[in-house]
Amino acid sequence: MYKTKLSLHDANGQRKYLNEAELRRFLACTKNKPVHIRLFCQLLFYTGARISEIHNLSVDRLDFANKTVVLETLKKRRRGVFREIPLPDFLLEDLETYTQNLQTSDPSGRLWNFSLRTASRYVKTIMDEAQIDCVRGSSKSLRHGYAVNAVQKVPITLVKKWLGHCNLETTAIYLDIIGSEERVIAKTVWVM
C-alpha cells in the first residue's frame, strides 16, 4: 500500500500551519464575536481538535471538576475512542456560563446548534479578519499551528495524546518546522 508522506507544506511549498503571530491574531479576532462563535473557535484554538470533534461536542463532555474537555476522536476507524485535553480556567468559566444559559432542544445536549458547514464559515470569517489567507485560512491550519507550538513546549507523547494520533510518527511531522519557529529554536544553539 502506498502511503503519502505527511508534510507541513502544500504542493506549492506554502506553509500549512499558523505561526505564533497568526495564532495570536486569530485568538484576538475571536474575542469580539458572539459567545457561541467565540467559544467554538477558542475551543479549536486551545485544544488543537478537529473542527468536527468540537462541532459534535456535548455538555456532558465538559469535565469542569477535572478542568478538561473529553473529545471523541472521530478519525479512528471505530467509535468510542476518547481523549481528555486540559483547558484554561477562563475558558472553562465561560463554557460553564454558556452551558448554564444554553436553551437546547437537542436531546443529545450538543453545545452548538449550527451545521459543520456554518462552523467552517465562522472559522474562515475570523481567519479573514485576522488577515490569514490561502492554505492557512482554515481550521486545519489552526490544528497544525497548535501542534507546532505544542511540540516546542511539551513532550511529543503528550501532543500525540491531545491530537488523538495513533502513531508517534504522525505527530513527529510537527517537529519539522520552519521560519520564525525554527529560528527561535536555533537561537538556543547559536553562540553569541
Side-chain angles (χ1 to χ4, degrees), residues 50 53 61 69-85 160-166:
R50 295 171 184 91
E53 293 169 338
R61 298 279 170 75
V69 60
V70 179
L71 297 176
E72 184 171 13
T73 304
L74 297 177
K75 203 164 177 186
K76 302 288 183 188
R77 297 201 191 281
R78 65 190 186 329
R79 302 282 315 211
V81 177
F82 297 93
R83 66 188 191 275
E84 254 184 289
I85 304 171
K160 173 190 173 286
K161 174 188 163 199
W162 290 344
L163 293 176
H165 289 159
C166 288

Side-chain angles (χ1 to χ4, degrees), residues 78-129:
R78 65 190 186 329
R79 302 282 315 211
V81 177
F82 297 93
R83 66 188 191 275
E84 254 184 289
I85 304 171
L87 294 175
D89 289 338
F90 72 87
L91 183 56
L92 285 161
E93 290 168 13
D94 289 351
L95 284 164
E96 192 163 24
T97 302
Y98 177 74
T99 58
Q100 289 168 353
N101 297 325
L102 192 61
Q103 303 287 326
T104 182
S105 59
D106 187 348
S108 69
R110 288 185 51 210
L111 288 174
W112 326 111
N113 63 1
F114 47 81
S115 69
L116 187 56
R117 185 173 176 99
T118 297
S120 293
R121 278 192 227 117
Y122 290 153
V123 172
K124 180 66 175 146
T125 298
I126 293 171
M127 290 288 187
D128 289 345
E129 190 177 315

